[in-house]
Amino acid sequence: MDHDQEVLQHENHITQQQQMTQQAQAEHYQAAINDIRTLWAIPKGCRPYQEPAHRHSLGTMDVKCPDCHALHFMSERLTNSSNSNPKFGICCLQGQIQLPPLSEPPHLLHKLLTSSAPRARKFREGIRQYNSAFAFTSVAVNMDHTILNGRGPYSFRIHGSLHHKMGTLHPHNPQQPSYAQLYIYDEHAALAARNSRNSNLNHVIMGELQEMLIAINPFVPLYKQAYQVMRDSPAESQHNLQMTIVLEQGADHRRYNLPTVDE
């Protein structure tokens, strides 16, 4: 009887272990199913990246367009061309589109962008802030933050239109001048205002960039001219001056439409 009881207890123990294993597996499968359901509820742009099961290689991108010399994958050639004489349409429509070469950047900017000197490397690290410091306008959008509710790379999605805010030529008290308002100021005062707003940037580079923009940027004289008109106007009429956008005679109305909103 003792032997039979030991066998029965052993069988019960094995049965309990099997039931516990099956229950653990079922819980694991259910958790995996819940994870998949949760993952599908996340927008595609916010899902964690997973390596594909199979990779497809397009080969090397070293096939030149015979017309514009842009580099392509061989699989991008036109279907009516051959591997020995490939032709492409996505770059220049087989030579129908010809763009003028890019103009050379100013010497200062070229040196800051290409030099390995410490100050050039520091400039490239803060290039976005330098660009914002000398911008004429600021971006005005209605951002949609719901797409960022989850994991994944940063995405920038907006509602409505993307436009730029220029503001008035003179800031309202007690606001400090910014963006285009600084271009009607005295050069030394404008540089001091920019340096105070960007104290972490190199003030010598800020001065050099300002001199460069004054010398080559076509929009800086327009703001200087507006300032001179305001300065030369009688004191009693300076508060009533207005700036309007005028469509030039002969300009293409489809490209240069006047704004329809009073800003």
Side-chain angles (χ1 to χ4, degrees):
M1 289 293 296
D2 293 340
H3 176 70
D4 293 339
Q5 288 180 350
E6 289 180 359
V7 171
L8 182 61
Q9 290 177 353
H10 180 68
E11 291 178 349
N12 291 336
H13 179 68
I14 294 176
T15 302
Q16 290 177 354
Q17 285 186 332
Q18 290 177 345
Q19 290 176 348
M20 292 174 61
T21 302
Q22 292 175 355
Q23 183 178 358
Q25 289 179 345
E27 292 176 353
H28 175 73
Y29 292 147
Q30 186 62 44
I33 292 173
N34 293 336
D35 290 341
I36 293 175
R37 289 175 178 173
T38 303
L39 183 63
W40 279 107
I42 299 175
K44 289 185 177 181
C46 298
R47 296 177 191 173
Y49 174 77
Q50 291 183 345
E51 289 287 341
H54 302 284
R55 289 180 175 272
H56 174 71
S57 175
L58 293 173
T60 56
M61 193 175 68
D62 58 357
V63 185
K64 281 189 177 183
C65 170
D67 298 298
C68 68
H69 308 293
L71 296 179
H72 296 275
F73 295 106
M74 180 58 76
S75 58
E76 293 178 310
R77 66 178 176 83
L78 297 175
T79 54
N80 58 357
S81 63
S82 61
N83 289 336
S84 59
N85 186 26
K87 296 180 180 180
F88 302 92
I90 61 175
C91 50
C92 64
L93 289 179
Q94 294 183 265
Q96 296 182 47
I97 299 175
Q98 296 182 1
L99 300 177
L102 296 175
S103 58
E104 290 293 328
H107 176 71
L108 170 67
L109 190 59
H110 181 269
K111 192 173 181 180
L112 290 173
L113 292 174
T114 59
S115 174
S116 58
R119 82 171 201 143
R121 291 200 301 267
K122 198 69 177 177
F123 167 78
R124 292 193 291 270
E125 291 175 3
I127 192 170
R128 288 189 62 184
Q129 189 176 349
Y130 279 104
N131 182 69
S132 298
F134 289 96
F136 286 85
T137 60
S138 62
V139 178
V141 295
N142 182 17
M143 281 192 61
D144 179 13
H145 296 279
T146 58
I147 195 173
L148 301 177
N149 295 334
R151 295 175 294 178
Y154 175 79
S155 299
F156 182 78
R157 186 165 73 178
I158 66 174
H159 282 307
S161 61
L162 171 67
H163 57 281
H164 292 86
K165 294 178 66 176
M166 184 175 65
T168 60
L169 287 180
H170 279 295
H172 300 291
N173 291 329
Q175 294 178 347
Q176 296 296 318
S178 60
Y179 297 110
Q181 294 166 347
L182 289 171
Y183 285 96
I184 68 171
Y185 271 55
D186 176 76
E187 297 172 8
H188 298 288
L191 181 60
R194 290 189 175 98
N195 286 336
S196 65
R197 285 173 173 265
N198 303 275
S199 58
N200 60 313
L201 299 182
N202 188 311
H203 291 181
V204 176
I205 294 180
M206 291 284 283
E208 293 174 345
L209 291 174
Q210 178 173 284
E211 292 179 3
M212 179 193 72
L213 290 173
I214 291 173
I216 67 170
N217 192 292
F219 300 107
V220 173
L222 296 179
Y223 283 91
K224 285 294 182 184
Q225 184 180 11
Y227 170 70
Q228 291 168 359
V229 170
M230 296 175 64
R231 183 190 60 188
D232 297 338
S233 300
E236 62 274 9
S237 64
Q238 287 186 2
H239 298 288
N240 297 322
L241 290 175
Q242 293 183 349
M243 176 182 287
T244 59
I245 301 175
V246 180
L247 184 64
E248 295 182 358
Q249 293 291 335
D252 188 347
H253 287 249
R254 294 169 297 181
R255 290 186 59 189
Y256 301 102
N257 289 328
L258 291 176
T260 57
V261 178
D262 183 10
E263 296 180 346

